[in-house]
């Protein structure tokens, strides 16, 4: 009790009961002992300052000194009713009442003979002990004015329930009957009653709900049967505790139900009464231990700041009071665990088991109660180790009735104290033990988890997908279409991705139902982060995905055992393919876990980052079929790489032949050509096409020159590349202004987006009269109608890998565009932005190469397993038999022309692939082709086309 702890004498019998010599010291000692330390339950001592009881001090000593004494007020001639008065004080304690139980045993009960030592308990004594503990439980639960949750006594209540349970004559098997009784105490019986009510309400026509109810009941029954064994940690709960406590040798029972049968009425009488009583006491104390133990999940529960007080009044040898004290002492000695129970007893004589020891301790009276407590505490560790029968006793002798003058003095001392009062600070737990810290910790942990989760999700593009990674400016990785990888996106793009996602679901279902069909995964890897920051800048990439989706859709409509089922993944290699290597490494890890991943299609931009991506994919053992890549070296530098588009050398030859034919018809145009190219050395496409164009035009007798420019977003520097002697015009806009001095041909080999628009802007300012020809990448610029219509006064030609669909389409081309329009209705809209370069068709053909190679694995009598390596091998078999006229014709009639790899394992580009020349005039693409080369039928072949591949 703190220095602010007070009590007062009361009028009437209760008040007079406290009027004895040094009564204030007794009530102060009780007040000090019931107060719980602000942190833990550590050993403590009381300090006396200036003759007054001071604050509690926590001793940093051994754990063995921890514990609360049993304070025995021995009053041979003292006033009765001391504890009833103390109970009144405890009930009115401030700031809250103290949880206490006032128990006054009746005279009937135990009949142990008197003497210095108590005799062992008899069977008839056990019910008396049980009754005292039941009264104590009731009083502790119903203490008035006490804040906080009520203590629960599940262990003690279970023992009482078992001891009152008697086997009926019609129940031959006690264990089975006991199990049924235990079920009524647990969740199983509640669920059983609920399920009965549900069955009654839901009617006869809801079989599935009844099955669910039966399932819940069955699971609950199984959990109960498992827990009642007492062998399963956590699940067995209180049942497990009984098999681990030291009384009645639970080991020889094995399971809780067998142990419980020994406690039923008619059976416990066969056990040693001493240990049955000890079990009762230990369960009572263990329930208090648990109620004062804060578990991690009890974050809202207040820490109890006062210990419960058990007041045993007028105990004697014949009413069980002495026996209960002895049992508490023995259980504490045996168990060794701290229990938060302050026991205060009052009796006319000393407890039998402690009479001798009281004499040895000097017989402390109320006048030196503090010294008695200090001596008891100092000797506690030694007494516990010796298992003394009086270890926990602290006897204090109450003097006889004082004289009138002494009564007045006692009353005067008590009147200065109104009631038990605990400092506001001492009534609160330490910060480390407060529920606010627990709540704060939970909040911080939850906030950390939420922040960590959000951080993780942000790192994965705000999606629950390990295959996506946020670089800070763009989302890189692989998606099955459920996530919008295009950056930025629009409803049209999202519709394409959703179509792919839905078809992936259908493919998975089809694979489950027809497992004999090959199942392959193709990854369409492109730079789906727009280089100009608009969704229109991704038109070509969107169409590329559409073409792959058409190939997937067609396979879903087939049913042959050799027709592959296709799953499509979308891969974003970042702006300008700069993150392609990271995506390739990711696909390598995916392929190691998923054998259905057989290859990559699409790819984007003939540049050094793309070359690095190709090399990384090859190292992963994944074959590739590019749709629009044209750089010459790609088809010869890596054996895992194939393409369906013609090479730059083919494009340059067609462009030179077209310019030669046109110049001959219009002699006024100078027979010169100036090539404008990017000085970015990593742009393989621009530099390779520049070299091919210069050679092709020189072969046709044109005077050639070249000018470099710095592309948008590139500052030049160590990686800049200019051919020897070539001037640097500046940026693309300055390069366009440079064309003003040209009267012949101008060939642009830079990127269509965003540089070609700047190039045209510079040219229009001086009304250039040169003839403009753009490389195939200009089709990306043409696809954006808003950009294309900005420069209506400047007509230009551009090379196309495959022209846009026309009314005269036939064969595979007509069928493909019919399916494309059927799958994506917006493609029928002529106002829709289109690449006008057949990106959808080229991507379809690249996917078709992979699909056809997979089909070849099932030709004839062979049934080779589907793998990336086997599919790669079969790609080289796609060709026309040139040596054996009777052999199988394995070339592909693609949408963009015949795909024939010539039967040469070193050739990875189709022979004589189509190439077209288109014109943009007045901001619109002219419907008629200016030139077309490579059509096998020869119906659209321009007469000036170069011969050969």
């Amino acid at each position: 009790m703190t220095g602010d702890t007070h009590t007062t004498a009361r009028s009437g019998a209760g008040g007079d009961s406290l009027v004895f010599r040094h009564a204030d010291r007794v009530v102060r000692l009780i007040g000090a002992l019931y107060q719980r330390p602000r942190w833990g339950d550590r050993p403590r001592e009381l300090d006396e300052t200036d003759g007054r009881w001071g604050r509690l001090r926590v001793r940093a000593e051994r754990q063995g000194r921890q514990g609360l004494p049993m304070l025995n007020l021995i009053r041979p001639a003292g006033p009765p009713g001391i504890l009833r008065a103390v109970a009144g004080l405890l009930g009115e304690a401030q700031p809250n009442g103290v949880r206490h139980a006032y128990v006054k045993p009746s005279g009937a009960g135990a009949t142990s003979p008197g003497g210095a030592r108590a005799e062992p308990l008899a069977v008839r004594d056990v019910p008396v002990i049980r009754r005292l503990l039941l009264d104590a439980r009731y009083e502790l639960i119903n203490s008035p004015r006490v804040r906080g949750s009520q203590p629960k006594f599940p262990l003690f209540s279970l023992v009482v329930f078992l001891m009152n349970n008697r086997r009926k004559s019609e129940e031959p098997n006690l264990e089975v009957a006991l199990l049924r009784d235990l079920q009524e105490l647990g969740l199983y019986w509640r669920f059983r009653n609920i399920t009965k009510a549900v069955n009654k309400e839901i009617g006869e026509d809801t079989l599935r709900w009844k099955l669910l109810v039966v399932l819940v009941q069955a699971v609950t029954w199984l959990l109960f049967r498992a827990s009642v064994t007492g062998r399963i940690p956590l699940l067995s709960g209180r049942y497990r505790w009984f098999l681990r406590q030291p009384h009645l040798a639970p080991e020889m029972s094995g399971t809780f139900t067998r142990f419980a049968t020994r406690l039923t009425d008619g059976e416990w009488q066969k056990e040693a009464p001493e240990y049955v009583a000890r079990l009762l006491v230990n369960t009572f104390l263990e329930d208090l231990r648990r109620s004062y133990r804060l578990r991690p999940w009890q974050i809202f529960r207040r820490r109890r700041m006062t210990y419960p007080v058990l007041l045993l009044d007028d105990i004697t040898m014949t009413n069980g009071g002495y026996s209960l004290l002895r049992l508490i002492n023995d259980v504490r000695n045996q168990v060794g665990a701290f229990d938060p129970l302050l026991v205060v007893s009052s009796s006319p004589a000393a407890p039998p088991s402690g009479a001798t020891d009281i004499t040895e301790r000097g017989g402390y009276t109320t006048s030196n109660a503090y010294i008695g407590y200090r001596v008891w505490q100092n000797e506690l560790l030694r007494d516990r180790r010796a298992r003394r029968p009086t270890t926990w006793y602290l006897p204090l002798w109450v003097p006889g009735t004082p004289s009138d003058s002494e009564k007045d003095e006692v009353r005067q001392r008590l009147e200065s104290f109104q009631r038990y009062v605990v400092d506001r600070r001492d009534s609160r737990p330490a910060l480390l033990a407060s529920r606010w810290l627990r709540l704060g910790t939970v909040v911080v942990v939850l906030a950390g988890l939420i922040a960590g989760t959000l951080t993780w999700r942000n790192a994965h593009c705000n999606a629950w997908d390990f295959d996506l990674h946020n670089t800070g400016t763009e989302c890189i990785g692989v998606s099955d279409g459920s996530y919008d990888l295009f950056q930025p996106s629009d409803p049209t793009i999202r519709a394409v991705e959703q179509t792919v996602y839905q078809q992936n679901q259908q493919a998975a279902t089809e694979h489950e139902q027809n497992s004999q069909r090959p199942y392959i995964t193709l990854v369409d890897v492109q730079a789906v982060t727009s280089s100009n920051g608009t969704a229109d800048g991704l038109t070509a990439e969107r169409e590329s995905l559409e073409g792959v989706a058409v190939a997937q859709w067609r396979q879903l409509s087939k049913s042959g055992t050799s027709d592959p089922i296709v799953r499509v993944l979308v891969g974003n290699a970042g702006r300008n393919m700069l993150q392609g290597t990271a995506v390739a490494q990711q696909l390598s890890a995916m392929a190691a876990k998923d054998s259905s991943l057989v290859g990559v299609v699409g790819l984007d931009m003939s540049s050094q980052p793309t070359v690095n991506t190709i090399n990384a994919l090859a190292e992963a053992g994944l074959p590739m079929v590019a749709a629009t890549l044209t750089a010459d070296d790609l088809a010869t530098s890596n054996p895992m790489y194939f393409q369906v588009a013609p090479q730059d050398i083919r494009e340059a030859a067609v462009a030179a032949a077209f310019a030669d034919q046109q110049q001959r018809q219009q002699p006024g145009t100078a027979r010169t050509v100036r090539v404008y190219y990017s000085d970015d050395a990593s742009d393989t496409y621009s530099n390779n096409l520049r070299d091919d164009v210069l050679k092709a035009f020189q072969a046709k007798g044109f005077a050639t020159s070249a000018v470099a420019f710095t592309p948008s977003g590139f500052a030049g520097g160590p990686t800049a590349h200019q051919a020897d002697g070539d001037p640097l015009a500046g940026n693309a806009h300055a390069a366009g202004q440079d064309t003003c001095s040209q009267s012949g041909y101008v060939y642009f080999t830079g990127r269509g987006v965003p540089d070609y628009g700047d190039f045209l802007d510079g040219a229009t300012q001086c009304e250039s009269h040169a003839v403009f020809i753009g490389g195939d990448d200009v089709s990306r610029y043409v696809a954006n109608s808003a950009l294309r219509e900005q420069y209506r006064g400047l007509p230009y030609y551009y090379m196309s890998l495959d022209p846009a669909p026309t009314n005269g389409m036939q064969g595979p081309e007509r069928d493909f565009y019919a399916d494309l329009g059927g799958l994506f209705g917006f493609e029928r809209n002529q106002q829709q932005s289109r690449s006008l370069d057949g990106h959808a068709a080229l991507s379809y053909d690249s996917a078709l190469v992979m699909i056809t190679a997979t089909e070849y694995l099932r030709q004839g009598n062979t049934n080779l397993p589907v793998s990336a390596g086997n599919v790669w091998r079969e790609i080289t078999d796609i060709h026309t038999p040139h040596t054996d006229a009777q052999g199988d014709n394995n070339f592909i009639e693609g949408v963009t022309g015949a795909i024939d790899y010539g039967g040469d394992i070193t050739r990875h580009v189709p022979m004589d692939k189509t190439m077209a020349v288109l014109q943009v005039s007045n901001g619109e693409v002219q419907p008629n082709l200016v030139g077309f080369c490579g059509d096998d039928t020869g119906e659209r072949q321009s007469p000036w086309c170069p011969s050969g591949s």
Side-chain angles (χ1 to χ4, degrees), residues 503-735:
Q503 292 185 166
N504 282 337
Q505 306 305 306
Q506 297 175 25
T509 302
E510 183 69 19
H511 177 53
E512 291 178 0
Q513 298 174 352
N514 298 282
S515 57
Q516 74 279 5
R517 292 179 60 184
Y519 182 71
I520 63 173
T521 298
L522 301 180
V523 187
D524 182 24
V525 176
Q526 300 184 85
V528 295
T529 299
S530 178
S531 58
N532 68 351
T534 67
D536 283 340
L538 295 172
T539 300
E541 286 76 11
R542 186 204 75 214
E543 291 187 3
S544 177
L545 183 58
E546 291 174 17
V548 178
V550 171
Q552 180 187 31
W553 177 77
R554 285 186 172 182
Q555 293 304 118
L556 287 172
S557 63
K558 297 180 180 180
S559 58
T561 56
S562 63
D563 296 322
I565 302 170
V566 181
R567 179 175 68 133
V568 174
L569 300 180
V570 185
N572 182 15
R575 182 179 288 106
N576 300 329
M577 295 290 291
L578 293 176
Q579 302 295 329
T581 303
V583 174
Q585 293 172 349
Q586 181 179 343
L587 292 177
S588 176
M590 293 175 64
K593 300 176 182 178
D594 183 3
S595 60
S596 73
L597 203 165
V598 299
V600 172
V601 297
L603 297 176
D604 207 359
M605 304 180 67
S606 297
S607 62
Q608 189 58 45
T610 302
V611 173
N612 296 338
T613 303
I614 291 171
N615 292 335
L617 290 170
E619 291 176 4
L622 292 174
M624 298 147 275
V625 181
T628 60
L629 300 188
T630 58
D632 298 336
D633 292 342
L634 293 178
T636 59
S637 61
N638 199 304
M640 301 294 289
Y641 171 85
F642 295 84
Q643 67 185 57
V644 295
Q647 294 173 291
D648 285 342
I649 192 172
R650 166 85 167 154
E651 178 178 329
V654 172
F658 162 71
D660 176 65
Q661 178 267 347
Q662 189 188 53
Q663 195 276 334
R664 294 180 187 278
Q665 293 179 352
Q666 301 175 2
T669 302
R671 198 169 179 81
T672 62
V673 63
R674 174 165 288 186
V675 179
Y676 291 88
Y677 66 94
S678 167
D679 71 336
D680 181 3
S682 65
D683 192 347
T684 308
Y685 163 80
S686 182
N687 290 276
N688 181 82
L689 183 57
R690 174 204 63 196
D691 294 340
D692 288 340
V693 169
L694 291 174
K695 292 178 183 179
F697 275 80
Q698 287 171 3
K700 292 292 185 179
F702 282 79
T704 61
S705 62
V707 174
F709 68 90
T710 301
S712 175
F714 180 70
T719 60
H721 174 74
Q722 291 173 250
D724 293 339
D726 290 348
L728 177 65
N731 57 19
H733 182 273

Side-chain angles (χ1 to χ4, degrees), residues 456-463 465-478 483 485 487 572 579 582-583 585-586 590:
W456 183 93
R457 198 168 186 269
N458 180 65
H460 292 272
C461 306
N462 292 322
D465 195 337
F466 285 95
D467 297 326
L468 301 175
H469 307 280
N470 192 344
T471 65
T473 57
E474 53 186 331
C475 183
I476 304 301
V478 180
Y483 182 86
L485 266 179
Q487 302 161 60
N572 182 15
Q579 302 295 329
V583 174
Q585 293 172 349
Q586 181 179 343
M590 293 175 64

Side-chain angles (χ1 to χ4, degrees), residues 195 479 802 916:
T195 53
S479 169
D802 185 71

Side-chain angles (χ1 to χ4, degrees), residues 103-110 128 131-132 135 313-316 318-321:
V103 178
K104 185 174 183 179
S106 61
V128 177
R131 182 71 262 167
L132 291 176
D135 292 343
D313 202 3
D314 287 339
I315 59 174
T316 66
T318 60
N319 63 11

Side-chain angles (χ1 to χ4, degrees), residues 338-591:
F338 172 80
D339 61 77
L341 180 65
L342 174 62
V343 181
V344 182
S345 67
S346 174
S347 59
S353 59
T356 304
D357 297 276
I358 291 173
T359 303
E360 293 176 355
R361 290 183 176 180
Y364 298 103
T365 63
T366 55
S367 63
N368 49 16
Y370 169 75
I371 298 175
Y373 173 75
R374 168 173 278 187
V375 172
W376 172 85
Q377 191 180 54
N378 290 338
E379 296 179 353
L380 180 60
L381 177 59
R382 183 196 65 185
D383 291 347
R384 292 182 68 178
R385 294 181 63 183
R387 304 287 181 93
R388 296 184 64 181
T390 57
T391 299
W392 299 92
Y393 288 82
L394 175 55
L396 292 179
W397 295 87
V398 178
T401 305
S403 63
D404 292 340
S405 60
E406 291 175 329
K407 288 182 180 180
D408 293 339
E409 181 181 353
V410 171
R411 290 192 181 99
Q412 186 176 2
R413 289 180 182 177
L414 294 175
E415 283 176 357
S416 62
F417 310 106
Q418 297 300 315
R419 56 176 63 88
Y420 279 124
V421 179
V422 181
D423 267 359
R424 185 174 182 181
R425 175 178 181 273
D426 292 332
S427 66
R428 295 178 178 178
L431 178 62
L432 293 177
S434 67
R435 64 173 177 172
W436 298 114
L437 180 67
R438 281 178 274 129
L439 284 170
T441 301
V442 171
V443 170
V444 170
V445 171
L446 289 177
L449 289 174
I450 293 172
T453 301
L454 293 177
T455 300
W456 183 93
R457 198 168 186 269
N458 180 65
H460 292 272
C461 306
N462 292 322
W464 305 111
D465 195 337
F466 285 95
D467 297 326
L468 301 175
H469 307 280
N470 192 344
T471 65
T473 57
E474 53 186 331
C475 183
I476 304 301
V478 180
S479 169
D480 62 354
S482 58
Y483 182 86
D484 191 357
L485 266 179
F486 284 69
Q487 302 161 60
S489 184
D490 61 20
T492 302
I493 292 175
R494 191 68 196 123
V496 177
E497 290 178 303
Q498 282 294 327
T499 299
V500 170
Y501 175 71
Q502 293 169 5
Q503 292 185 166
N504 282 337
Q505 306 305 306
Q506 297 175 25
T509 302
E510 183 69 19
H511 177 53
E512 291 178 0
Q513 298 174 352
N514 298 282
S515 57
Q516 74 279 5
R517 292 179 60 184
Y519 182 71
I520 63 173
T521 298
L522 301 180
V523 187
D524 182 24
V525 176
Q526 300 184 85
V528 295
T529 299
S530 178
S531 58
N532 68 351
T534 67
D536 283 340
L538 295 172
T539 300
E541 286 76 11
R542 186 204 75 214
E543 291 187 3
S544 177
L545 183 58
E546 291 174 17
V548 178
V550 171
Q552 180 187 31
W553 177 77
R554 285 186 172 182
Q555 293 304 118
L556 287 172
S557 63
K558 297 180 180 180
S559 58
T561 56
S562 63
D563 296 322
I565 302 170
V566 181
R567 179 175 68 133
V568 174
L569 300 180
V570 185
N572 182 15
R575 182 179 288 106
N576 300 329
M577 295 290 291
L578 293 176
Q579 302 295 329
T581 303
V583 174
Q585 293 172 349
Q586 181 179 343
L587 292 177
S588 176
M590 293 175 64

Side-chain angles (χ1 to χ4, degrees), residues 180-425:
R180 184 176 60 253
D181 293 338
L182 290 174
Q183 288 175 359
E184 296 182 12
L185 298 178
L187 290 175
Y188 171 74
W189 197 260
R190 299 176 190 175
F191 273 108
R192 187 167 179 264
N193 292 334
I194 292 173
T195 53
K196 283 183 178 180
V198 171
N199 273 327
K200 190 174 181 180
E201 293 292 334
I202 60 179
E204 300 293 334
D205 299 329
T206 52
L207 179 60
R208 61 179 179 178
W209 290 107
K210 289 190 175 183
L211 290 175
L212 179 61
V213 167
V214 171
L215 178 62
V216 171
Q217 187 175 357
V219 170
T220 309
W221 182 83
L222 289 173
L223 289 176
F224 167 76
R225 291 306 299 266
S227 64
V228 82
T229 62
R231 297 175 177 175
I232 305 175
L234 299 180
L235 181 62
S236 291
R238 57 179 178 172
Y239 304 124
R240 183 174 171 81
W241 181 87
F242 282 97
L243 297 182
R244 300 167 70 86
Q245 54 83 33
H247 307 297
L248 296 180
E251 294 82 3
M252 70 182 189
S253 299
T255 64
F256 172 76
T257 51
R258 293 174 186 170
F259 178 74
T261 57
R262 295 166 52 193
L263 294 175
T264 57
D265 193 11
E267 294 295 326
W268 69 260
Q269 292 86 346
K270 301 175 185 178
E271 305 286 342
E274 176 76 16
Y275 291 96
V276 174
R278 287 191 183 187
L279 177 62
L280 280 166
V281 172
N282 194 23
T283 55
F284 186 89
L285 295 179
E286 177 64 21
D287 284 330
L288 286 176
R289 295 184 196 108
R290 294 186 175 189
S291 67
Y292 272 72
R293 188 182 304 142
L294 284 175
R295 294 170 176 81
W297 57 86
Q298 295 174 322
I299 58 175
F300 293 101
R301 211 185 83 179
R302 290 176 177 270
R303 185 176 189 268
R304 304 179 192 274
M305 293 305 297
T306 58
Y307 294 119
V309 182
L310 174 58
L311 304 172
L312 294 174
D313 202 3
D314 287 339
I315 59 174
T316 66
M317 293 179 58
T318 60
N319 63 11
Y322 288 162
S323 298
L324 179 57
L325 293 181
R326 181 176 61 81
L327 288 168
I328 294 175
N329 184 88
D330 293 344
V331 168
R332 285 179 172 179
N333 281 342
Q334 184 176 16
V335 175
F338 172 80
D339 61 77
L341 180 65
L342 174 62
V343 181
V344 182
S345 67
S346 174
S347 59
S353 59
T356 304
D357 297 276
I358 291 173
T359 303
E360 293 176 355
R361 290 183 176 180
Y364 298 103
T365 63
T366 55
S367 63
N368 49 16
Y370 169 75
I371 298 175
Y373 173 75
R374 168 173 278 187
V375 172
W376 172 85
Q377 191 180 54
N378 290 338
E379 296 179 353
L380 180 60
L381 177 59
R382 183 196 65 185
D383 291 347
R384 292 182 68 178
R385 294 181 63 183
R387 304 287 181 93
R388 296 184 64 181
T390 57
T391 299
W392 299 92
Y393 288 82
L394 175 55
L396 292 179
W397 295 87
V398 178
T401 305
S403 63
D404 292 340
S405 60
E406 291 175 329
K407 288 182 180 180
D408 293 339
E409 181 181 353
V410 171
R411 290 192 181 99
Q412 186 176 2
R413 289 180 182 177
L414 294 175
E415 283 176 357
S416 62
F417 310 106
Q418 297 300 315
R419 56 176 63 88
Y420 279 124
V421 179
V422 181
D423 267 359
R424 185 174 182 181
R425 175 178 181 273

